[in-house]
Each structure stands twice: as structure tokens, then as C-alpha cells.
């Protein structure tokens, strides 16, 4: 074979370039997260721990809640339910009540009731006393939350405090203040009106009694009768006197009869049967009220029993109405007696003054006019009295029947555990914050990072198809019977391992990846310590164990160390052969582990002579090609030494090696560009020392499936 035959220029495309080249998918993101998992876990846990630790420095806060039920109808127990109120009006009333509970006047009452103006939790004790009160009110409103449950009449009053007992007291005091205030507001006006009406009735009652007495006395003195006709004394008294006297006697007899009948019924305890009582509108109203209250009493007795507080209240109300009935009946009977006395006095007056009236015509006329005036005044006062009495009855009833608009459904109790700080919530927030912060740090690290981490990144950076990723061997894996072996020896000791399988993938790419397999292969890297020599020796040993005729040539004049693999002292090598000081047979050494032949370097050389560009080098390649089926060159770093480019140009194909998390993208791209400039044929790229995680390998990389067939390899 002629090693320097012309070859087609351009990349040696064993695999098609990945269609995702230049793009980053979900798999790549997952790979980044897996590579940075310790950063993510560490930052997340640190932030969460700091957040939780901060909660232990916070003052615990306790919350207690009181539940109120508010009745927006504002009615008494004797009223019928108001069904005309719209839902919008009801909602507005409820919202108004909630605002009243959470108002400054309510808070001021609570502050004064609990003496919070002297509580360091709510005020700065160094402030003046006049400012502490307003400060306590503002602070208290900040500690209280009042809200109405949706679509219900329930209102919750929540209070926060460093003391669970204090929180419960605040919530309960707010509720009690509101309930008491609602009752006072509703009954205050009625009470003041009732007091005024009572005073006015007392005054009118006295005036009516005085007026009645004055009229009776005046009529008795003047001898006047109602409906007295105009005329002289003779006209008035001589003719009609008998008729008037008869009528007066008849009236007196009727009044006395009515009075006697009333007294008889009273004596028998039947005051309600008195005709005046039966015809009284006030009595009728009182009886109607009594019937309604009695019905309520029966219902309460049937539902709760006679010992229930509501039963006692209704019973007291019933007794009050009975007392009012008796008082009104007595007043009506007193009126009957007054009329009887007046009738009798009139008869006596007529009889006594019959003979004296002839000469008193002018005086009687004047007295009659005055009497009529007094009667009109008395009647006016009586009408006013009746109206005020009826109004007082209604106001008194309203004052007695008013129900509170709110009631406490559930009183607040001291909380057993603080609600703040919520350590579970803080821990969750800390984890979320830590995760976000760690992702940001990972993003920054990835943006700042310029090294290759996976085969797909190498493929995207160089646009050279990836052959495989060579997994990293841990220290535990390199221990063999207590002794540590090198990665080159590991491929021999563990031929069925995933590490060895990676080199078989490279061998297959070289041998069957094209119609015309490459026989002269250069293993190159951009910079030192990228794993190039390890890859070259491991690949050559793998091929030798597979039965291939292969020779490994050490082309790194400055740091060649393949002579160590021969297991014996080497006296001559590649430099001596190229210099003509030794033959190939003298320089070839046998690998200590396999049937591999090695053309080593005996020492480092810094000669300015271009050994690899000479005709002797071309002749050496031709002779080795006649002896071996494959020639593998381990070269110097491509960017550091020009020798590697010369050897690559003499080869059928070049395999570029980069080291995971060490080789920079720029170095890899620059090395490949140099190979393209030299028209070297690139078989593909290999990334070495890659972590054995599927997230690190791309899906197009056989190493992606190492975890899936590891058991198969071990079993074999």
C-alpha cells in the first residue's frame, strides 16, 4: 500500500452530522442539570436552610378567630318578615356592617376595654400618652382582619398577637363591642322617645284632670247644661225648665245605671265587660298585641320549654300588656264615674237654680260661652292624650321587642400553635427560591464555561461527526486485586466493559465504516493531556486483541511514553530509524499485554530537523504498511507542535480526541480547522473521560446506552 496516495479532500464522513447540530434540546438541558446537580442541590439546600433558620429568629404570632352571624333585616319579633329587600341591598348592608366592625371607633373601644394603649406590642412606650391611644388604634387595626364569608351572613374576626390569650381576647372583644353597639343604636332612639312621651303624658293627664274638675265645678256653679238655647231667662227657664230637668234626670239615671253596672262587673272581676272598655280602640289594640305575644309564648314554650330565657322575656312582656289593659280599663271606668257625677250635679243644679235663673239671663249666657270654651280645651287635651298614649304604647313595644342584629356563633379560643412564621411555607419558598437561584447560577456557569462537556457539544463545536464517548474510569474501577491499573491496561483486563466497548466502536468505524477502510490512522488532540495517548494505546490494544495486524507508532517527539507499554528497556526507536541508526526490526517492541507491536521513542527529542516531512518518513510508512494492516500514530498536540499536522497529512484518516470538561470549544474548533486546511481526512471525533451518565452522552452517542446494557456486558 502506498501511504501517500492521493485521497479526496474534506471530512471523512463515517456518520452523518447530527440534524440537531447547533441547536440545544431538552436532552441537552437535562444534561446540564445533571452535570451541575451538586451545585443545584447545594445552593437549594443552603437557601432553604437559611430561610428556615430565619423563621427561628422571628417572633411567633398567634391568631384567634371569632365568628359572627349578622341579620341584615333589622326587625322585631312581632313584625312579619320583610321579603321586599333586594339581594343588592342586603349585600350593601352586610358590607356596611363589616366596615363598622373594622372601623376606628370600634377599635378605640377595644383599645380602651383591654388597655392596649399601655401594651408594648401595640405602642411605643416612649411616646407621649396622648399619642399612644391613636397609635394603639392604628396598630390594632393592623392586627385584626374582618371579612365576610361569601354568600352568607357569617363574618369572621381574626386577631393576631404574640400572646394566644391576648389574640382571643381581642377577637372576642371586637365581637362583643359590635353586638352591644348594634343593640344600643337600635333601642337608643326608641328609649329617648319613650321617656319624652311619658313625661308629656304625665303633664297632659294632670291638665285633663284639672280641666274636668273645673268644668264640672263651673257647670255646677253656673247651672249650665249642654245644648243650651239662646234666649231670655224666661224663655230659657220658664217653658223648657221642666223638659231640661226631666232630660237631666234621665241622663243622671242612665249615667248612674251605667256606673252601677260597671261597679258590679268590677266587683265580679269582669272589668273587660264594661261597655266603655269594650268600645275602646286602645283596649282593642292592647288585646291584639296580647294575643300575638301569647301566641309567641305558646310557640316558645312548645319549642324550648318554660325555663328558656326567651320564654321568661315573653312572659314579662305579656304581664306588662295585662297591666296596661287594667290601667286603660280603670281610666275608662273613671270616666264613667265622672260622667255620672256630672249628671247628678246637673240635676241638683237645675233643681236648685230653677227659681234663680229668671234674673240671671245675662250671667248665664256669659257662663255658657266660658263653659263651652273650657270643654273645647279639655276635649283637645283628651284627644292629644289619647294619641300620645297610643304612640307611647308602640314605642314601648319596639323597645321591648328589639332583637340584636348580630350574635356570636363561635367565640375565639387561644391558639395552641403559632400561625406565623409558617415554617413549612417558608421551607417551600426557600426551596423554590434556592432552586431558581441555583438555576441562575448554573446558567451563569454554563455561559461562562468554555469547555466541552459531552460528545454532542464536541460535534456542534467542530462539525465533525462523533464516533463515541469514552467513559471515565473511577479510582474504584481501576483497582484490580488491590493494585491500581492504568486505563490502557483496563481495556485488556476488562475487555467486556463499557470502556473497552467504546474502542471497539472506534475500530468498527475504522474497519467497516467505509467502502475503502482507512489503514493509516493518526490520533490527534488540540492541547496536551486530552487523553490522546491513552486513546491511541487502548485502541491499538483493542484492535490487536481482535486479531488485527497493527503497529502503534509514537509520534510525540517531546513527550512520547509508549515505550513504557513494551515492558522492557528500549534501546532504539522511531528517531533512530528515521536517522538511519537502526532498522525497523531493531526498533519494534512488543506490547507487554497484547500482540501489539509498538514503534516507540527512546527519549525526548528537540531536533530542528524535520524528521516527519522527510523521505525517510514516507519510506517508513510504506514499509510499515507492507508489514501491518493498520498503522496507528500517537501524535503531539496539534496546536502546540507542527509534527502532528504532517503525520495527519500522511494518514488515511484522522481521529480527533477531546477531553470532557477540559478541552475548550475554541481549541477544538481551531484544531479541526487546521486539519481542514491541510486537507487531512477526518474520520470522526472522540470525547474522552466522559462521565458514565446517559444525561452526559447524546442520544446519537452509543455511550448514551451504557447504563442500559451494563448488566449484559458484565454477564458476558
Amino acid at each position: 500500500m502506498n501511504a501517500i496516495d492521493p485521497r479526496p479532500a474534506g471530512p471523512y464522513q463515517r456518520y452523518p452530522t447530527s440534524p440537531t447540530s447547533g441547536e440545544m434540546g431538552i436532552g441537552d438541558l437535562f444534561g446540564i442539570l445533571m452535570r451541575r446537580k451538586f451545585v443545584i442541590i447545594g445552593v437549594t439546600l443552603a437557601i432553604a436552610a437559611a430561610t428556615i433558620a430565619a423563621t427561628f429568629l422571628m417572633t411567633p404570632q398567634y391568631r384567634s378567630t371569632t365568628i359572627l352571624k349578622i341579620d341584615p333585616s333589622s326587625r322585631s319579633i312581632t313584625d312579619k318578615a320583610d321579603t321586599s329587600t333586594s339581594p343588592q341591598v342586603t349585600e350593601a348592608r352586610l358590607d356596611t356592617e363589616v366596615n363598622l366592625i373594622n372601623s376606628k371607633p370600634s377599635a378605640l373601644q377595644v383599645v380602651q376595654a383591654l388597655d392596649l394603649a399601655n401594651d408594648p406590642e401595640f405602642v411605643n412606650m416612649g411616646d407621649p400618652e396622648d399619642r399612644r391611644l391613636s397609635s394603639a388604634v392604628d396598630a390594632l387595626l393592623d392586627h385584626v382582619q374582618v371579612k365576610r364569608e361569601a354568600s352568607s351572613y357569617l363574618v369572621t374576626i381574626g386577631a393576631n398577637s404574640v400572646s394566644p390569650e391576648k389574640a382571643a381576647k381581642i377577637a372576642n372583644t371586637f365581637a362583643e363591642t359590635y353586638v352591644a353597639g348594634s343593640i344600643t343604636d337600635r333601642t337608643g332612639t326608641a328609649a329617648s322617645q319613650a321617656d319624652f312621651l311619658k313625661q308629656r303624658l304625665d303633664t297632659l293627664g294632670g291638665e285633663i284632670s284639672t280641666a274636668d274638675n273645673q268644668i264640672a265645678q263651673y257647670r255646677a256653679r253656673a247651672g249650665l247644661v249642654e245644648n243650651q238655647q239662646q234666649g231670655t231667662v224666661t224663655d230659657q227657664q220658664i217653658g223648657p225648665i221642666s223638659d231640661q230637668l226631666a232630660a237631666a234626670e234621665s241622663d243622671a239615671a242612665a249615667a248612674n245605671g251605667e256606673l252601677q253596672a260597671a261597679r258590679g262587673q268590677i266587683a265580679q272581676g269582669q272589668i273587660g265587660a264594661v261597655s266603655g272598655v269594650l268600645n275602646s280602640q286602645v283596649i282593642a289594640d292592647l288585646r291584639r298585641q296580647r294575643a300575638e305575644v301569647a301566641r309567641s309564648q305558646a310557640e316558645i314554650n312548645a319549642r324550648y320549654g318554660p325555663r328558656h330565657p326567651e320564654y321568661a322575656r315573653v312572659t314579662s312582656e305579656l304581664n306588662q300588656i295585662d297591666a296596661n289593659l287594667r290601667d286603660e280599663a280603670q281610666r275608662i271606668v273613671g270616666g264613667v264615674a265622672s260622667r255620672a257625677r256630672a249628671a247628678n250635679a246637673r240635676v241638683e243644679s237645675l233643681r236648685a237654680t230653677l227659681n234663680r235663673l229668671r234674673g240671671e239671663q245675662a250671667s248665664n249666657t256669659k257662663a255658657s260661652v266660658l263653659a263651652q270654651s273650657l270643654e273645647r280645651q279639655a276635649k283637645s287635651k283628651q284627644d292629644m292624650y289619647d294619641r300620645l298614649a297610643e304612640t307611647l304604647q308602640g314605642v314601648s313595644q319596639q323597645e321591648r321587642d328589639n332583637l340584636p342584629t348580630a350574635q356570636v356563633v363561635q367565640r375565639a379560643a387561644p391558639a395552641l400553635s403559632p400561625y406565623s412564621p409558617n415554617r413549612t411555607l417558608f421551607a417551600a419558598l426557600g426551596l423554590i427560591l434556592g432552586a431558581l437561584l441555583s438555576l441562575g447560577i448554573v446558567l451563569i456557569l454554563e455561559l461562562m464555561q468554555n469547555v466541552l462537556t459531552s460528545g454532542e457539544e464536541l460535534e456542534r463545536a467542530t462539525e465533525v461527526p462523533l464516533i463515541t464517548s469514552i467513559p471515565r474510569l473511577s479510582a474504584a474501577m481501576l483497582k484490580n486485586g488491590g493494585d491500581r491499573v492504568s486505563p490502557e491496561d483496563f481495556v485488556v483486563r476488562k475487555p467486556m466493559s463499557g470502556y473497552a466497548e467504546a474502542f471497539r466502536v472506534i475500530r468498527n468505524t475504522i474497519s467497516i465504516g467505509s467502502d475503502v477502510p482507512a489503514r493509516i490512522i493518526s490520533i490527534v488532540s488540540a492541547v496536551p493531556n486530552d487523553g490522546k495517548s491513552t486513546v491511541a494505546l487502548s485502541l491499538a490494544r483493542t484492535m490487536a486483541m481482535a486479531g488485527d495486524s497493527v503497529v502503534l507508532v509514537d509520534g510525540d517527539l517531546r513527550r512520547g511514553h509508549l515505550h513504557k507499554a513494551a515492558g522492557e528497556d528500549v534501546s532504539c526507536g522511531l528517531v533512530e530509524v528515521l536517522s538511519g541508526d537502526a532498522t525497523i526490526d531493531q526498533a519494534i517492541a512488543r506490547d507487554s499485554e497484547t500482540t501489539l507491536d509498538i514503534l516507540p521513542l527512546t527519549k525526548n527529542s528537540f531536533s530542528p530537523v524535520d524528521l516527519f516531512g522527510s523521505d525517510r518518513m514516507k519510506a517508513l510508512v510504506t514499509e510499515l504498511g507492507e508489514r501491518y494492516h493498520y498503522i496507528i500514530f500517537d501524535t503531539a498536540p496539534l496546536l502546540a507542535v507542527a509534527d502532528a499536522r504532517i503525520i495527519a497529512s500522511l494518514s488515511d484518516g484522522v481521529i480527533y480526541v477531546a477531553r470532557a470538561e477540559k478541552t475548550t470549544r475554541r481549541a477544538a474548533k481551531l484544531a479541526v480547522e487546521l486539519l481542514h486546511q491541510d486537507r487531512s481526512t477526518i474520520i470522526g471525533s472522540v470525547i474522552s473521560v466522559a462521565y458514565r451518565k446517559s444525561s452526559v452522552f447524546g442520544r446519537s452517542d452509543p455511550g448514551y446506552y451504557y447504563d442500559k446494557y451494563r448488566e449484559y456486558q458484565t454477564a458476558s
Side-chain angles (χ1 to χ4, degrees), residues 77-80 285-299 314 317-318 321 397 401:
I77 61 173
T78 58
D79 294 333
K80 294 183 179 180
D285 291 341
L286 288 173
R287 284 177 174 173
R288 178 182 58 78
Q289 294 178 11
R290 189 185 189 283
E292 292 177 357
V293 175
R295 182 171 62 255
S296 297
Q297 181 187 41
E299 291 176 357
V314 174
E317 181 180 347
L318 190 62
I321 293 174
Q397 187 67 33
D401 292 347

Side-chain angles (χ1 to χ4, degrees), residues 192-255:
S192 61
Q193 290 178 350
D195 292 340
F196 172 76
L197 291 174
K198 288 178 181 178
Q199 295 176 2
R200 185 58 178 156
L201 282 175
D202 291 341
T203 302
L204 283 176
E207 292 177 356
I208 290 172
S209 178
T210 302
D212 288 341
N213 291 332
Q214 288 177 349
I215 292 172
Q217 293 174 4
Y218 186 79
R219 286 182 179 277
R221 288 195 305 269
L224 298 176
V225 295
E226 296 181 357
N227 298 325
Q228 186 176 11
Q229 297 179 355
Q230 297 293 331
T232 63
V233 174
T234 302
D235 294 334
Q236 295 177 3
Q237 301 297 328
I238 296 299
I241 191 60
S242 298
D243 296 335
Q244 292 177 9
L245 181 57
E249 289 176 345
S250 176
D251 291 340

Side-chain angles (χ1 to χ4, degrees), residues 121-203:
E121 181 182 356
F122 295 91
V123 297
N124 183 1
M125 298 306 294
D127 291 342
E129 186 174 355
D130 56 343
R131 288 186 55 188
R132 291 209 301 263
L133 187 61
S134 61
S135 299
V137 170
D138 295 335
L140 178 60
L141 291 176
D142 292 336
H143 283 66
V144 175
Q145 305 83 35
V146 182
K147 64 178 181 178
R148 182 171 71 89
E149 299 298 330
S151 303
S152 72
Y153 293 163
L154 297 180
V155 175
T156 59
I157 303 175
N160 307 334
S161 177
V162 296
S163 168
E165 293 78 10
K166 189 189 301 181
K169 285 182 180 179
I170 292 173
N172 289 329
T173 305
F174 257 98
E176 293 165 358
T177 300
Y178 170 72
V179 172
S182 65
I183 297 175
T184 302
D185 291 342
R186 297 183 64 197
T187 59
T189 303
S192 61
Q193 290 178 350
D195 292 340
F196 172 76
L197 291 174
K198 288 178 181 178
Q199 295 176 2
R200 185 58 178 156
L201 282 175
D202 291 341
T203 302

Side-chain angles (χ1 to χ4, degrees), residues 127-455:
D127 291 342
E129 186 174 355
D130 56 343
R131 288 186 55 188
R132 291 209 301 263
L133 187 61
S134 61
S135 299
V137 170
D138 295 335
L140 178 60
L141 291 176
D142 292 336
H143 283 66
V144 175
Q145 305 83 35
V146 182
K147 64 178 181 178
R148 182 171 71 89
E149 299 298 330
S151 303
S152 72
Y153 293 163
L154 297 180
V155 175
T156 59
I157 303 175
N160 307 334
S161 177
V162 296
S163 168
E165 293 78 10
K166 189 189 301 181
K169 285 182 180 179
I170 292 173
N172 289 329
T173 305
F174 257 98
E176 293 165 358
T177 300
Y178 170 72
V179 172
S182 65
I183 297 175
T184 302
D185 291 342
R186 297 183 64 197
T187 59
T189 303
S192 61
Q193 290 178 350
D195 292 340
F196 172 76
L197 291 174
K198 288 178 181 178
Q199 295 176 2
R200 185 58 178 156
L201 282 175
D202 291 341
T203 302
L204 283 176
E207 292 177 356
I208 290 172
S209 178
T210 302
D212 288 341
N213 291 332
Q214 288 177 349
I215 292 172
Q217 293 174 4
Y218 186 79
R219 286 182 179 277
R221 288 195 305 269
L224 298 176
V225 295
E226 296 181 357
N227 298 325
Q228 186 176 11
Q229 297 179 355
Q230 297 293 331
T232 63
V233 174
T234 302
D235 294 334
Q236 295 177 3
Q237 301 297 328
I238 296 299
I241 191 60
S242 298
D243 296 335
Q244 292 177 9
L245 181 57
E249 289 176 345
S250 176
D251 291 340
N256 289 330
E258 182 181 358
L259 178 61
Q260 291 299 325
R263 288 176 176 173
Q265 289 169 344
I266 291 172
Q268 295 177 6
Q270 299 178 352
I271 191 171
V274 178
S275 60
V277 174
L278 291 173
N279 297 328
S280 173
Q281 183 61 39
V282 175
I283 293 295
D285 291 341
L286 288 173
R287 284 177 174 173
R288 178 182 58 78
Q289 294 178 11
R290 189 185 189 283
E292 292 177 357
V293 175
R295 182 171 62 255
S296 297
Q297 181 187 41
E299 291 176 357
I300 294 172
N301 184 33
R303 181 176 296 179
Y304 304 109
R307 296 185 178 182
H308 194 273
E310 190 67 13
Y311 180 85
R313 187 187 68 78
V314 174
T315 300
S316 174
E317 181 180 347
L318 190 62
N319 293 335
Q320 181 63 38
I321 293 174
D322 289 336
N324 291 340
L325 281 169
R326 289 192 298 272
D327 293 341
E328 185 64 20
Q330 289 292 345
R331 190 187 68 79
I332 293 172
V333 172
V336 173
S338 296
R339 287 194 296 273
R341 288 194 301 271
N344 291 330
R346 184 182 178 195
V347 171
E348 293 298 328
S349 176
L350 287 173
R351 287 176 181 173
T353 61
L354 180 59
N355 295 324
R356 293 183 293 104
L357 292 177
R358 291 182 179 273
E360 300 177 356
Q361 181 178 11
S363 177
N364 287 343
T365 300
K366 183 179 179 180
S368 177
V369 173
L370 182 58
Q372 290 177 4
S373 176
L374 292 175
E375 287 176 352
R376 285 194 300 271
Q377 294 177 4
K379 187 177 185 304
S380 176
K381 292 181 179 180
Q382 183 64 49
D383 292 340
M384 185 181 295
Y385 182 90
D386 292 339
R387 289 195 301 270
L388 289 177
E390 185 176 356
T391 302
L392 176 61
Q393 185 65 34
V395 171
S396 300
Q397 187 67 33
Q398 181 182 1
E399 183 181 6
R400 289 191 300 270
D401 292 347
N402 267 338
L403 292 172
T405 59
Q407 58 179 337
V408 178
V409 177
Q410 175 183 309
R411 290 182 60 82
L416 300 179
S417 59
Y419 90 98
S420 176
N422 188 335
R423 292 192 172 91
T424 302
L425 177 60
F426 271 85
L429 293 176
L431 289 174
I432 295 173
L433 179 61
L436 295 176
L437 182 60
S438 64
L439 292 177
I441 293 175
V442 166
L443 178 60
I444 294 174
L445 292 177
E446 287 296 320
L447 293 176
M448 296 177 61
Q449 176 179 277
N450 192 33
V451 297
L452 300 169
T453 58
S454 68

Side-chain angles (χ1 to χ4, degrees), residues 538-581:
S538 299
L539 174 61
R541 283 179 170 178
T542 299
M543 297 175 72
M545 288 189 294
D548 295 331
S549 174
V550 59
V551 62
L552 176 61
V553 181
D554 193 344
D556 189 353
L557 296 178
R558 290 168 175 77
R559 293 189 178 182
H561 62 276
L562 292 180
H563 63 277
K564 298 178 182 178
E568 59 184 26
D569 293 335
V570 178
S571 59
C572 60
L574 176 63
V575 174
E576 287 75 15
V577 172
L578 294 177
S579 300
D581 297 332

